[in-house]
Amino acid sequence: PFQVVGGKVKKPGKRGRKPAKIDLKAKLERSRQSARECRARKKLRYQYLEELVSSRERAICALREELEMYKQWCVAMDQGKIPSEIKALLTGEEQGKAQQNSTKLAKAMKTEANSSNP
C-alpha cells in the first residue's frame, strides 16, 4: 500500500486537494451574491466619477467667468479706463498697508516704552 521513494513514504492515489462535494445550489447562490456586490460597487464608482466630473465642470465655468472678467478689465485699461473693481482693490490695499504701518508703529512704540522703563 505505501511506497518508499527517496526516503519518503508516499500514499497511493491522486495528488493535491480532493475536489469537495460542493452543493451546486450554494455555489450558484454565492455566484449570484458576488455578481450583485460587483454591480453595486460599479454603480457607486460611476456615481462618484459623475459627481467628480460635475464638480470639475463647475470649477471650469467659474474660472472661465473669472478669465473673461480679467480680459474685460484689460480691454478697459487699454482704453485708458480703470475699472471700479481695480480701484477698490487698490484703495483697499492702500488702506491695508496704512493699517499695517500703523500697527508696526504702535508695536515699535510699545517696545521702546518697555525698554526705556527700568
Side-chain angles (χ1 to χ4, degrees):
F2 295 109
Q3 290 181 324
V4 178
V5 178
K8 294 184 179 178
V9 177
K10 292 213 167 210
K11 298 179 182 175
K14 295 181 181 176
R15 301 171 76 192
R17 294 180 65 183
K18 294 181 181 176
K21 305 271 186 191
I22 299 174
D23 186 18
L24 189 60
K25 287 183 180 180
K27 185 175 179 180
L28 285 172
E29 185 53 40
R30 278 200 312 270
S31 176
R32 288 186 191 110
Q33 181 63 30
S34 177
R36 278 192 290 271
E37 290 169 1
C38 181
R39 286 190 296 271
R41 284 192 304 269
K42 184 177 179 181
K43 185 177 178 182
L44 284 174
R45 186 170 51 249
Y46 273 87
Q47 285 175 348
Y48 165 74
L49 290 173
E50 285 173 359
E51 289 171 10
L52 195 63
V53 166
S54 66
S55 71
R56 298 284 162 90
E57 285 174 346
R58 286 192 299 273
I60 288 169
C61 287
L63 288 169
R64 282 193 176 132
E65 288 174 7
E66 188 177 352
L67 179 62
E68 191 57 38
M69 177 184 67
Y70 291 141
K71 284 180 182 178
Q72 289 173 1
W73 287 4
C74 289
V75 168
M77 286 190 286
D78 287 344
Q79 295 172 352
K81 301 171 188 170
I82 299 177
S84 58
E85 297 91 351
I86 294 179
K87 285 181 184 176
L89 284 173
L90 292 173
T91 56
E93 285 178 9
E94 289 171 6
Q95 289 174 354
K97 287 179 184 176
Q99 287 177 347
Q100 287 176 353
N101 290 338
S102 65
T103 305
K104 286 179 185 176
L105 183 63
K107 286 182 181 178
M109 291 175 71
K110 281 183 182 178
T111 53
E112 285 181 27
N114 288 342
S115 62
S116 64
N117 288 342

